[in-house]
Amino acid sequence: MRCAGTGAITTAPDGNALVGTPQVVKALAQLARMVSPYSAPVGNDGGALDQKGVEGRLTELESWMGSPNGSEKYNSYWKNDKVQAEYRTLLDAREMLKKRTAA
């Protein structure tokens, strides 16, 4: 199917939508954050994070990482791939914000 007036293809040959799906929106947002130097890090709730928010969440996750082995907080980090991915994303966000404030 083509988008009216643009000629852009909006569905894949199998009929699935190419735009507007949660997966596509998330992928495009990730791409935009990598490309745009003016992008803002976004928290899990969808709100923008500033340096204080990034540092606060990193501190919280690092406390989970250092919790006693087998405890609820320990497992919340070490047995949760999404939280580990969030931590890595926050580290990248911290570096991006540091570069932005240094410029």
Side-chain angles (χ1 to χ4, degrees), residues 8 11 14 17-18 22 32 34 38 42 46 48 52 67 74 80 89 93-96 99-100:
T11 57
D14 64 0
L18 292 177
M34 287 188 304
Y38 302 107
V42 178
K52 185 176 179 181
S67 295
Y74 179 92
N80 188 328
T89 299
R94 176 169 54 186
E95 290 305 310
M96 180 184 69
K99 288 178 185 176
R100 192 178 291 171

Side-chain angles (χ1 to χ4, degrees), residues 12-83:
D14 64 0
N16 288 322
L18 292 177
V19 295
T21 64
Q23 298 86 355
V24 171
V25 171
K26 184 176 179 180
L28 290 173
Q30 288 175 330
L31 180 61
R33 285 192 294 271
M34 287 188 304
V35 172
S36 174
Y38 302 107
S39 63
V42 178
N44 285 339
D45 63 354
L49 289 175
D50 58 6
Q51 185 74 33
K52 185 176 179 181
V54 170
E55 292 297 336
R57 183 62 173 155
L58 283 170
T59 299
E60 179 182 22
L61 294 178
E62 287 166 352
S63 76
W64 294 5
M65 294 163 71
S67 295
N69 192 350
S71 68
E72 183 179 344
K73 286 186 178 184
Y74 179 92
N75 291 336
S76 292
Y77 180 81
W78 293 106
K79 296 189 179 203
N80 188 328
D81 293 336
K82 288 183 181 181
V83 173

